[in-house]
Amino acid sequence: MIKNVFSGSVDYVQILDETGNADQSLFPKELDDKTLVQMYKSMSFARAADAKAISLQRQGRLATYGPMVGEEATQVGSAFAMRPQDIFVPNFRQHGVFMARGYPLYKFYLSWKGYEEGGAQKDFKSTAVAVPVGTQMPHGVGVAFAQKYKKTGAVVVAYVGDGGTSEGDFYEAINFAGAMKVPLVSIIENNQWAISMPRSRQSAAETLAQKGIAAGIKCVQVDGNDVIGVYKVVSEAIKDASDMNPSLIECVTYRMGIHTTSDDPTKYRPDSDVEEWKKKDPISRMRAYLSKNGMWDDHLEERMVQDDAKAIDDAVAQADAFKPDPKSMFENVYSFVPDVLKDEEEKAIHSNFWQ
Amino acid sequence: MVTAINSALDIILKENDNAVVLGEDVGVDGGVFRVTDGLQKKYGEGRVIDTPLAESAIIGASIGMALEGMHPIPEIQFAGFMFLGYSQLVNHAARYRARTRSTMSVPMTVRVPVSGGIRALEHHSESPEAVYSNMGGLVVVEPSTPYDAKGLLIKAARMNDPVLFLEPTKLYRLFKQEIPEEDYEIPIGKANVVKDGDSLTIITYGTMVPVVQNAVKAKNADAEIVDLRTINPLDENTFIESVKKTGRALIVHEASASFGAGAEIAARIAEKAIYDLDAPVIRVASPSLPYPLPGYENYYVPNEKRVGEEIDRILSF
Ligand SMILES: Cc1ncc(C[n+]2csc(CCOP(=O)(O)OP(=O)(O)O)c2C)c(N)n1
Ligand SMILES: [Mg+2]
């Protein structure tokens, strides 16, 4: 006997198309004009701050930096869907989520300058940046478990790249989330590339979202360059997660820039690919929508660009003014300072850290 | 050193049809440090393989290939990410030969960039050699020059053992050295006396070799410099003989001090040469804490000045 015991499918959602026309039947009612403008401003700000980071790196004022240009809608749309109590779990590219949720910009620059103090963030609702790919996903499960355990009502939103979905930690985490029924929304920020590896080489699966099917959790794919679509899908997932139904969302976007400032994409991808994706740009699409509906004009754009530039310059100046204290290396390793470290520290201080 | 390693891989791929290179971005991109540049063009996608982003599967699949008579040469992109494949390395690669009484073995050469000093992001600068040397079963090699890198890698890829080949990123392009184009081997498990001397022995390896050489030059010290080349198994004879001659042992490594390779070396000196010592054994190493973000690394990694101070101190006894 053979009978079908399971079949699955994955929906794709888009609300704002590439020319800035919205599917009104899906448009989230709660998004008023003011919020829509804020979403646009937030994406524009993230892009400007990101561009500044690249230029600082090129001047030797930042360490290696991985830009997020092109992925603004995925990051800002999901950040706007989160409620103040919700907690997010980033990898290393969610600069736009940090900014949209009000992370102090100078600290953002400080951390990418290579100072731990930039990541000191006691009252901010996120875990720390996680560089080892995929490893943050099990943390998401645990943070979500803690919300359930403590009955906080908060939901956790964890991010992973398309490449990250190949790591064992990713599978273990979504499976754990489903089995333990924790309030976790996992977002795959599929920007089509993992350094030089295209999405097609990462997995034989047609969509990355469908990996959630095997974990027994809801899954959906959304146009990751459509800030309204991302907002809607993530908002609904947060509602489900509040009822202890975790889910997996694949945001289909594109890494418009370099992987990091150490990367040379001309080695592995044609510029024409990037040109194609420029037509789907998340920011120009939203601007077109706002303009068409009388919410935005050139004058407002000009003022925003000036305000952003000033805020960014101020933040950079504040980060530049930071003076590192190498003693901080020794004093933050344990909850106490052991004798071994005290000795090593004293010796280092005595010799002025051999500078 | 990048060119030297590339040349060694080329020689191995040419001579051994069963050798394959695999890892993240090693093919089209030629590796993030360009170490495998051009090899995929030359040997094809079937032998220089771009894999999905999954370290445990890279090491685990390599073990499977090795068990079937292949000689995989996986690359792990940075030392910090090796830990995602750690279970495969220590639970399987290191133990296979011992637990099958040599009827099965895992000939593979795992290449991994290590150590700091290049202002890299978090998890890109660790020096984990001691971690892999502690359990036994893994050969751990670390070259300090382009010449050594080529000869050691060729030797490693011809051995019937799992070899962890640690490549100090700082030395990838630090200095140019003419190296022979042809095939040559450097023995594994043998240290190299880089410089003869009579008044102290400095035992070091990897990124610290040029730092030590400069410090010795600056101090004009009559030091014997031993470059371990192989961390595990240790070539005890070479440094014990040297310490017996000089009466002083200074150990310099970039990895943090506590439970590092230096502790093992010092213990062996204490066991075998303590009555020959004129001064306490001194270690120069990074502090016993996690590698910091790049803004602090210059305060963390031992430098020439620090080695110089300790040369003065050990000679003052
Ligand atoms: C475990 C691990 N392996 C390798 C790396 C090196 N690395 C950094 S980012 C990256 C690609 C990640 O691709 P993806 O998950 O799609 O995220 P993206 O960079 O595109 O945002 C790699 C291989 C790493 N950081 N962690
Ligand atoms: Mg990606």
Side-chain angles (χ1 to χ4, degrees):
Chain A
M1 181 194 69
I2 297 178
K3 62 174 182 177
N4 179 276
V5 291
F6 177 79
S7 61
S9 68
V10 175
D11 287 336
Y12 172 82
V13 177
Q14 183 195 59
I15 297 178
L16 202 59
D17 73 12
E18 294 169 23
T19 58
N21 289 317
D23 180 340
Q24 288 304 333
S25 68
L26 293 175
F27 206 94
K29 303 273 173 299
E30 69 273 23
L31 287 182
D32 55 18
D33 289 5
K34 203 176 139 212
T35 311
L36 289 167
V37 168
Q38 274 174 353
M39 288 169 111
Y40 173 72
K41 283 183 155 179
S42 185
M43 287 196 290
S44 303
F45 186 77
R47 184 170 290 187
D50 189 68
K52 183 71 176 186
I54 299 173
S55 88
L56 290 173
Q57 199 282 339
R58 298 299 186 211
Q59 299 161 33
R61 291 161 68 192
L62 228 63
T64 311
Y65 177 71
M68 54 79 76
V69 56
E71 301 168 39
E72 294 85 356
T74 293
Q75 299 190 1
V76 169
S78 55
F80 270 70
M82 286 179 227
R83 304 157 304 172
Q85 70 270 31
D86 295 337
I87 303 167
F88 78 102
V89 175
N91 61 22
F92 43 81
R93 207 182 290 281
Q94 281 74 41
H95 319 313
V97 183
F98 275 98
M99 291 173 205
R101 300 199 88 207
Y103 196 70
L105 191 62
Y106 85 92
K107 281 199 175 183
F108 161 76
Y109 288 118
L110 196 56
S111 71
W112 293 98
K113 272 173 170 293
Y115 297 115
E116 281 81 351
E117 286 75 5
Q121 49 166 16
K122 201 163 184 294
D123 298 316
F124 190 72
K125 297 245 172 239
S126 85
T127 52
V129 163
V131 171
V133 166
T135 54
Q136 71 283 6
M137 300 307 282
H139 305 165
V141 175
V143 176
F145 183 89
Q147 306 315 306
K148 182 178 176 181
Y149 189 83
K150 295 181 170 183
K151 303 191 173 60
T152 64
V155 160
V156 179
V157 180
Y159 294 81
V160 67
D162 44 304
T165 66
S166 298
E167 291 281 10
D169 273 355
F170 166 79
Y171 293 99
E172 295 181 26
I174 59 170
N175 185 64
F176 229 87
M180 293 178 49
K181 291 200 148 299
V182 295
L184 177 69
V185 176
S186 299
I187 295 182
I188 302 168
E189 187 165 327
N190 173 8
N191 63 6
Q192 311 300 333
W193 293 93
I195 309 187
S196 71
M197 280 290 277
R199 155 66 188 88
S200 59
R201 295 287 307 279
Q202 203 60 247
S203 172
E206 201 129 335
T207 68
L208 296 176
Q210 76 203 56
K211 296 189 177 196
I213 294 176
I217 62 177
K218 265 202 188 173
C219 46
V220 63
Q221 198 184 54
V222 58
D223 180 344
N225 282 6
D226 163 11
V227 69
I228 296 168
V230 171
Y231 169 85
K232 184 185 173 79
V233 164
V234 177
S235 299
E236 284 173 3
I238 286 176
K239 253 183 233 118
D240 285 343
S242 306
D243 298 329
M244 302 303 147
N245 292 312
S247 65
L248 180 65
I249 298 168
E250 177 185 1
C251 296
V252 181
T253 178
Y254 194 77
R255 198 194 81 209
M256 304 248 271
I258 47 184
H259 168 69
T260 67
T261 45
S262 316
D263 174 47
D264 172 16
T266 61
K267 278 279 276 190
Y268 55 80
R269 79 176 180 191
D271 284 345
S272 56
D273 272 27
V274 185
E275 289 309 312
E276 273 311 299
W277 276 88
K278 271 193 185 148
K279 295 178 195 152
K280 306 181 192 179
D281 187 87
I283 296 184
S284 37
R285 180 188 307 203
M286 186 62 168
R287 184 175 176 181
Y289 174 81
L290 295 178
S291 304
K292 262 185 247 187
N293 291 281
M295 286 178 255
W296 198 250
D297 58 28
D298 290 351
H299 175 70
L300 287 170
E301 178 79 17
E302 208 175 292
R303 226 175 59 200
M304 177 190 76
V305 169
Q306 282 171 5
D307 290 350
D308 286 358
K310 167 136 188 15
I312 289 167
D313 286 346
D314 289 351
V316 170
Q318 195 178 352
D320 280 346
F322 174 79
K323 294 269 174 295
D325 176 5
K327 291 201 293 296
S328 66
M329 288 194 300
F330 294 88
E331 288 157 15
N332 294 284
V333 184
Y334 305 100
S335 64
F336 57 99
V337 183
D339 290 346
V340 166
L341 280 181
K342 261 185 221 149
D343 270 7
E344 290 177 355
E345 181 181 16
E346 269 165 30
K347 234 176 144 190
I349 294 170
H350 177 77
S351 295
N352 191 29
F353 288 84
W354 301 280
Q355 297 305 301
Chain B
M1 187 181 282
V2 167
T3 322
I5 298 169
N6 186 281
S7 160
L9 291 171
D10 191 8
I11 287 169
I12 292 300
L13 286 168
K14 193 177 302 163
E15 79 175 8
N16 182 356
D17 285 343
N18 282 319
V20 293
V21 165
L22 69 158
E24 295 156 11
D25 308 290
V26 298
V28 177
D29 199 34
V32 293
F33 287 104
R34 302 286 175 260
V35 171
T36 53
D37 213 14
L39 294 176
Q40 190 181 67
K41 266 214 179 89
K42 194 158 173 189
Y43 295 99
E45 286 179 27
R47 295 192 64 204
V48 179
I49 307 159
D50 277 320
T51 67
L53 213 177
E55 288 76 11
S56 186
I58 292 170
I59 304 293
S62 294
I63 292 172
M65 293 176 195
L67 290 171
E68 286 299 307
M70 294 179 66
H71 196 119
I73 310 178
E75 172 182 299
I76 296 297
Q77 210 160 65
F78 284 94
F81 310 135
M82 180 66 103
F83 293 112
L84 281 77
Y86 187 76
S87 161
Q88 289 291 349
L89 263 186
V90 306
N91 289 336
H92 294 299
R95 304 182 61 89
Y96 239 104
R97 177 181 286 275
R99 75 183 165 100
T100 62
R101 288 295 178 261
S102 287
T103 55
M104 295 170 95
S105 59
V106 180
M108 71 172 178
T109 311
V110 186
R111 295 182 35 252
V112 54
V114 296
S115 297
I118 58 163
R119 285 180 60 71
L121 293 178
E122 199 175 4
H123 310 286
H124 291 66
S125 304
E126 283 67 21
S127 299
E129 62 278 2
V131 172
Y132 298 98
S133 298
N134 176 249
M135 82 288 294
L138 293 177
V139 175
V140 181
V141 175
E142 184 166 347
S144 67
T145 67
Y147 179 83
D148 286 10
K150 179 168 175 176
L152 288 166
L153 183 54
I154 290 174
K155 176 67 191 162
R158 288 173 181 160
M159 286 169 68
N160 196 356
D161 299 275
V163 180
L164 200 53
F165 195 81
L166 309 178
E167 302 171 2
T169 54
K170 171 113 196 205
L171 306 185
Y172 267 153
R173 296 189 164 82
L174 190 68
F175 57 92
K176 280 215 166 359
Q177 181 185 30
E178 283 299 321
I179 55 160
E181 239 170 74
E182 67 280 2
D183 173 349
Y184 63 94
E185 288 185 3
I186 291 177
I188 284 177
K190 278 296 296 166
N192 181 29
V193 178
V194 178
K195 177 188 170 298
D196 291 322
D198 287 318
S199 51
L200 88 143
T201 301
I202 306 183
I203 303 147
T204 186
Y205 55 89
T207 49
M208 288 296 120
V209 173
V211 173
V212 164
Q213 285 170 315
N214 290 338
V216 164
K217 213 177 281 164
K219 291 283 170 195
N220 204 9
D222 184 17
E224 185 143 301
I225 304 175
V226 177
D227 176 354
L228 289 178
R229 281 182 175 164
T230 302
I231 316 300
N232 186 58
L234 264 183
D235 175 12
E236 182 181 274
N237 282 342
T238 299
F239 66 78
I240 295 285
E241 284 316 306
S242 175
V243 170
K244 281 184 174 167
K245 177 178 78 173
T246 64
R248 291 183 173 83
L250 182 67
I251 304 160
V252 183
H253 60 57
E254 180 173 327
S256 60
S258 295
F259 305 94
E264 176 65 27
I265 296 162
R268 284 175 190 270
I269 293 169
E271 284 167 353
K272 308 243 164 115
I274 198 157
Y275 297 115
D276 298 289
L277 290 179
D278 300 322
V281 176
I282 292 178
R283 283 181 292 169
V284 176
S286 295
S288 306
L289 52 93
Y291 199 97
L293 296 192
Y296 287 100
E297 73 180 346
N298 287 342
Y299 304 114
Y300 178 85
V301 175
N303 60 14
E304 207 181 299
K305 196 162 173 200
R306 182 165 170 208
V307 175
E309 270 183 24
E310 298 296 350
I311 289 175
D312 287 344
R313 189 156 78 91
I314 204 166
L315 289 174
S316 73
F317 283 94

